[in-house]
Amino acid sequence: MTQFILEFGTTLIATFRDILPILLLITCFQLFVLRQPIPHLRRLIVGGVYVVLGLALFLIGLEKALFPVGKIMAAQLSDPFFLTGVEGAPAPTDWTAYGWIYLFAAMIGFSTTIAEPSLLAVAIKANEVSGGVISQWGLRLTVAVGVAVGISLGAFRIVTGTPLYIFIMTGYAIVILQTFIAPKKIIALAYDSGGVTTSTVTVPLVAALGLGLSEAVPGRNPALDGFGLIAFASLFPIIAVMGYAQITHWAGSRKIINAPQGEDA
Amino acid sequence: MGEVVFGGILVVFGLTLFIQGLEMGLFPIGESMAHALARKGSLFWLLTFAFALGFSTTVAEPALIAVAAEAASIAAQGNLIAPGEESLNSYALGLRLSVAFSVGVAILVGVLRILRGWPVHFLIIGGYVVVMLMTLIAPEEIVGIAYDAGGVTTSTVTVPLVAALGVGLASIIKGRSPLLDGFGLIAFASLLPMIFVMGYGLLVFG
């Protein structure tokens, strides 16, 4: 218990330091640039206390729960005994042996993305921009499947040890190609959707999965192979959103064509 | 097991409290400030605000704090940096500051884009080209974490405030549509960190 209080105290101080820049920004701009008193000062102070406390608790919990769970899942699903059924077998180096890992990675990707509130916001906007052609559920499912495929491909990359940049560069090439043929109105939104799908809970879990996997598979070095899953999870939604827009566009709707075009279009 | 359950409760409770606090205090004032500054019409203060907003929200981003700490301990295990609390903390802080700085620059450029009406895809494709070039010269130990940094930065704190700034600006400036021009800020904020973190890697490992 004393240990917990000590840990909480140190995290709390560090957290306060992390929040300080925002506080400075708001006070300086409000008082010196906009020259107005801060509105709802009480609410801001109470909210600020919530933010610092909540962040400190979250970070402690993260160390105790999310990171260990991700690593334990990776270690158990890539355990030689679990994979081969033979006691004391050496860890398999063949990528086909790690089927459970790919499935688990895909499920984490799909379930966390479908529940992501910021994706819902993007889907609503996309529905508006496209004049109703892009359905909210269709888009959310497409992005969730995109993230699932992305993370599972990322797990495959860790198992085989292929350099990360080959996958990401190919992804970029596809995105650039799509940019030229996708409906113009959807492009900025599609680019943004890459950033919003990776949330606060998903990131540590997925990062821990990658690091745990790179520790378990023989011949992999966590420093070289452990990261990169989040990069996959932020690249694939871009491809998925533009792809979905292209397909619905191509499917013969005239709403996008007839809608007034902006100057960028 | 008990530890994990306790940690899980802390995660849920902490995140709820954190978001509640953001919605009570920071989000409303951040949004009203973004609108007020966009109306004030001073380019200098608007750009300063854009940079400071990107920087300060990224420093407070929980997912980035967690991943930077993890990256530091991995780097220490791989003998890339000296073991020990102090060097771990300075590496993690260095990562976070380079990401925060890059997000600040990204939001600044993104705001300029909205003001000038540059098409978003030229900047993004240009950014991709720079990422590719940086990948060629960056030490390979940093590439993974650098690519991940892009996705990590844009999360709970940054997205709502930055989106409010973009949409607020686009709705005030004549000839800009909030839906077309208001987006794209987040895209920069996930692209530039890759470049800056690879640059940080060049400094630290190179």
Side-chain angles (χ1 to χ4, degrees):
Chain A
M1 196 61 205
T2 22
Q3 203 203 341
F4 176 75
I5 293 171
L6 197 70
E7 198 184 340
F8 186 68
T10 19
T11 316
L12 204 61
I13 295 168
T15 309
F16 186 71
R17 195 192 62 193
D18 296 332
I19 299 291
L20 207 59
I22 299 191
L23 291 181
L24 280 177
L25 171 70
I26 289 180
T27 11
C28 290
F29 265 79
Q30 195 72 23
L31 296 180
F32 301 118
V33 180
L34 294 170
R35 295 209 180 82
Q36 281 160 0
I38 297 172
H40 311 297
L41 190 61
R42 267 181 65 107
R43 272 177 71 95
L44 187 69
I45 292 171
V46 177
V49 172
Y50 280 14
V51 165
V52 174
L53 277 179
L55 187 55
L57 289 174
F58 172 78
L59 288 175
I60 295 172
L62 198 77
E63 281 302 313
K64 291 192 192 303
L66 287 185
F67 273 130
V69 164
K71 283 192 179 167
I72 289 167
M73 287 304 286
Q76 286 180 345
L77 289 172
S78 55
D79 185 28
F81 177 61
F82 170 74
L83 292 175
T84 58
V86 183
E87 192 80 53
T93 44
D94 184 22
W95 66 270
T96 50
Y98 292 93
W100 287 109
I101 287 279
Y102 309 139
L103 187 68
F104 179 70
M107 281 166 61
I108 285 195
F110 187 85
S111 52
T112 52
T113 309
I114 212 81
E116 182 60 53
S118 25
L119 178 61
L120 179 64
V122 168
I124 293 171
K125 289 278 161 23
N127 184 274
E128 284 170 26
V129 175
S130 67
V133 178
I134 295 172
S135 82
Q136 290 179 25
W137 262 106
L139 187 79
R140 284 171 74 192
L141 277 177
T142 318
V143 174
V145 170
V147 174
V149 172
I151 298 187
S152 143
L153 196 65
F156 165 78
R157 180 199 78 82
I158 292 177
V159 170
T160 57
T162 325
L164 175 64
Y165 67 86
I166 296 180
F167 287 89
I168 302 295
M169 294 305 150
T170 316
Y172 282 171
I174 296 172
V175 169
I176 293 174
L177 212 70
Q178 277 182 312
T179 303
F180 290 110
I181 47 177
K184 290 283 173 287
K185 295 197 157 196
I186 206 73
I187 289 175
L189 198 62
Y191 287 158
D192 272 7
S193 70
V196 300
T197 47
T198 42
S199 77
T200 312
V201 177
T202 320
V203 162
L205 201 61
V206 169
L209 178 74
L211 293 171
L213 188 60
S214 63
E215 276 162 17
V217 178
R220 296 291 159 268
N221 173 358
L224 288 180
D225 305 301
F227 290 99
L229 285 185
I230 300 162
F232 278 89
S234 22
L235 182 61
F236 272 69
I238 306 182
I239 299 177
V241 171
M242 284 205 273
Y244 187 75
Q246 270 158 261
I247 290 166
T248 47
H249 185 76
W250 176 78
S253 163
R254 286 160 190 278
K255 281 186 181 166
I256 294 176
I257 302 165
N258 289 343
Q261 304 275 312
E263 67 177 277
D264 292 348
Chain B
M1 195 60 214
E3 183 98 319
V4 168
V5 173
F6 178 59
I9 295 169
L10 285 185
V11 165
V12 174
F13 181 67
L15 203 58
T16 315
L17 202 63
F18 180 67
I19 290 171
Q20 176 71 31
L22 287 178
E23 279 171 0
M24 270 178 77
L26 280 179
F27 287 169
I29 197 168
E31 280 167 31
S32 73
M33 283 175 74
H35 281 271
L37 274 162
R39 257 176 246 281
K40 192 175 156 72
S42 154
L43 185 66
F44 172 77
W45 284 118
L46 187 61
L47 292 182
T48 316
F49 182 72
F51 177 82
L53 186 73
F55 184 90
S56 59
T57 52
T58 307
V59 170
E61 201 63 79
L64 182 64
I65 301 175
V67 169
E70 195 68 6
S73 70
I74 293 291
Q77 276 170 35
N79 290 326
L80 297 168
I81 55 172
E85 192 88 353
E86 200 163 307
S87 100
L88 281 179
N89 285 343
S90 85
Y91 177 75
L93 190 68
L95 268 180
R96 284 174 57 204
L97 288 183
S98 37
V99 173
F101 188 74
S102 65
V103 174
V105 173
I107 305 298
L108 193 153
V109 176
V111 165
L112 264 181
R113 177 194 84 83
I114 294 177
L115 296 175
R116 299 271 181 268
W118 300 328
V120 64
H121 52 272
F122 288 145
L123 289 170
I124 296 284
I125 293 173
Y128 282 170
V129 173
V130 178
V131 169
M132 293 179 194
L133 294 177
M134 285 297 282
T135 308
L136 292 177
I137 54 167
E140 58 179 347
E141 292 85 1
I142 200 79
V143 171
I145 180 73
Y147 282 14
D148 274 1
V152 174
T153 44
T154 45
S155 173
T156 324
V157 196
T158 318
V159 172
L161 282 174
V162 165
L165 179 64
V167 174
L169 264 179
S171 55
I172 285 164
I173 300 165
K174 228 177 137 190
R176 300 278 179 277
S177 122
L179 288 176
L180 272 178
D181 301 293
F183 289 96
L185 282 181
I186 308 289
F188 285 124
S190 7
L191 186 63
L192 277 196
M194 301 192 204
I195 299 170
F196 278 62
V197 171
M198 283 194 264
Y200 179 67
L202 271 177
L203 280 179
V204 176
F205 303 146

